[in-house]
Amino acid sequence: MTGRSPLLIVVGSGHRVYHEYLLSLMAEHARVWLLRDAEPTWEKLYIAGCTVVDTRDSAAVVEAATRLADRVTVDGVLCLDEARSVPSAHAAAALGLPTAGAEVVGRSQNPDGVRDALAAAGVPHVAEAERRADDLTFDIACVDGEPFPLFVSRQIDAVFPELTGSGHVVDSTFADEEMTALAVAAQRAIGVRYGVTHTRVRRTARGPKIVSVHWGLSGDLVPYAASIAAGVNPGRVLVQVARGIRPDPIPVRAHRVAAVRFLTAQADTAPGLVHADETRLPSSVDVAEAFPAPDRRSTGTGGGTRSLRYAYSVVVDDTVEGCARALTAAEKAFMPRSKGEFRDGTTGIPDAPVLPDASVGPVR
């Protein structure tokens, strides 16, 4: 006889392209009850139920979580984007479930609060938190105050300056012990007892320094890239941390590098609908897809410059050079598609793809 499958409250689902694979992986290890601002659509494949609520309103989220907990046993609360991390923390605290607490989570959204906490703990940090391409980002899970480094990434233009667009590269060799130890120390300094953060670290002439600490896993499909490069299961990690369980040890495997790249264009020069010609994709391309609809992004200070992400690819190889070749091949494989014309002959905006299960190897 099998035991009861744990039930987790997930506050918000986010953008389908960036979060569907996470929700899918989580659903393999727990039942998911979604709190969402509107009725679910694509999320229906992965959830046990849904409550429609303002997910940015802490009081409303706490009320919805409490009402659910009055009917069923809830084993954890989490969110998939930083914007809903404080309401999620309030709900977890109200139910007596593992959490870092709303004060600690809120501090991660306040650069001055992070710097004050780091200074008080004697953790070196930079005075300004402007992003630089050569910064390293450490994704770290914390359970009962103990940090567990998961993977490390770097912006794509720091590794492949010849490539346009945006993205990230995941490679365990980016970081040394000193930088990893500093990222771990930052979790303790700001008081992360339970949760997952992505923490940016910069090499300086005076040694590594913390740039910023942000709540939740890295975005932009970085955790998916880590899953195929390092064998980390980000969905399972989220479930375990939300339940107060230490994440599984990262499997020992041959060194691999993974990269995710987003093809971008200015709004007035963006291409029409595109698709990837699979016959032109090398085996190192794990996925290459068009966005169902262009994703608008700010590229300048103050959000004044806008660009559109219209396609993306994720690749894995033994070397960074191999990833660069695969990303270039994937870009060349994207071809114009007639408006409303898709592979299955249907019309309209296509659904976002579910990224392949990293455990079964490369899939295109």
Side-chain angles (χ1 to χ4, degrees):
M1 179 177 179
T2 59
R4 180 186 65 88
S5 177
L7 178 68
L8 266 59
I9 293 176
V10 176
V11 183
S13 53
H15 194 295
R16 183 174 187 180
V17 168
Y18 305 122
H19 289 154
E20 182 169 16
Y21 78 98
L22 279 175
L23 204 58
S24 173
L25 289 172
M26 290 167 55
E28 295 177 2
H29 304 285
R31 293 172 296 146
V32 173
W33 192 280
L34 185 63
L35 303 189
R36 195 174 185 271
D37 296 300
E39 292 292 340
T41 54
W42 57 266
E43 301 93 342
K44 291 179 180 179
L45 291 171
Y46 314 108
I47 62 176
C50 178
T51 300
V52 177
V53 63
D54 183 352
T55 56
R56 293 176 183 265
D57 184 330
S58 293
V61 169
V62 168
E63 181 181 2
T66 302
R67 287 184 176 180
L68 179 64
D70 287 340
R71 298 190 286 116
V72 295
T73 300
V74 176
D75 300 281
V77 181
L78 70 144
C79 62
L80 298 182
D81 66 277
E82 192 172 19
R84 291 161 178 81
S85 55
V86 171
S88 177
H90 277 296
L95 301 185
L97 295 170
T99 178
E103 180 180 355
V104 171
V105 175
R107 184 184 301 146
S108 72
Q109 299 177 359
N110 178 358
D112 290 334
V114 170
R115 286 192 287 267
D116 289 346
L118 294 173
V123 176
H125 59 282
V126 299
E128 49 80 26
E130 183 179 350
R131 181 182 293 273
R132 293 183 185 175
D134 58 348
D135 291 343
L136 296 184
T137 299
F138 292 81
D139 279 56
I140 300 175
C142 294
V143 173
D144 198 21
E146 183 177 357
F148 297 87
L150 301 172
F151 50 86
V152 60
S153 62
R154 172 177 279 159
Q155 284 184 245
I156 199 167
D157 48 345
V159 186
F160 310 129
E162 71 279 8
L163 296 181
T164 59
S166 61
H168 310 267
V169 181
V170 177
D171 186 344
S172 61
T173 66
F174 284 156
D176 55 29
E177 291 184 3
E178 185 181 18
M179 297 189 78
T180 303
L182 184 64
V184 165
Q187 314 308 304
R188 297 190 171 104
I190 67 172
V192 182
R193 187 164 179 79
Y194 292 96
V196 178
T197 76
H198 56 285
T199 299
R200 288 197 289 131
V201 182
R202 179 174 302 161
R203 286 190 177 97
T204 74
R206 297 185 177 182
K209 295 185 178 182
I210 298 296
V211 178
S212 59
V213 180
H214 301 276
W215 204 256
L217 289 169
S218 290
D220 281 358
L221 298 176
V222 173
Y224 179 77
S227 72
I228 60 177
V232 177
N233 185 323
R236 182 170 174 81
V237 169
L238 289 176
V239 169
Q240 290 173 322
V241 173
R243 298 178 63 198
I245 299 171
R246 292 186 175 194
D248 297 331
I250 297 174
V252 178
R253 58 194 297 181
H255 173 255
R256 300 279 275 171
V257 182
V260 53
R261 181 189 183 194
F262 299 96
L263 299 182
T264 61
Q266 297 304 308
D268 57 349
T269 61
L273 293 171
V274 298
H275 75 285
D277 180 352
E278 295 186 357
T279 65
R280 304 177 66 180
L281 295 175
S283 60
S284 51
V285 176
D286 189 82
V287 62
E289 294 283 353
F291 274 78
D295 181 22
R296 294 182 179 271
R297 292 285 169 135
S298 297
T299 57
T301 56
T305 304
R306 306 291 287 179
S307 68
L308 297 178
R309 289 180 172 180
Y310 64 90
Y312 62 96
S313 56
V314 184
V315 305
V316 62
D317 200 272
D318 293 335
T319 66
V320 292
E321 294 81 10
C323 283
R325 290 191 295 269
L327 290 172
T328 299
E331 178 182 14
K332 293 178 179 179
F334 282 104
M335 310 292 290
R337 187 200 304 263
S338 299
K339 185 176 181 181
E341 177 187 341
F342 305 111
R343 293 177 198 166
D344 60 0
T346 60
T347 59
I349 296 297
D351 287 338
V354 178
L355 292 177
D357 183 350
S359 66
V360 300
V363 178
R364 293 199 304 274

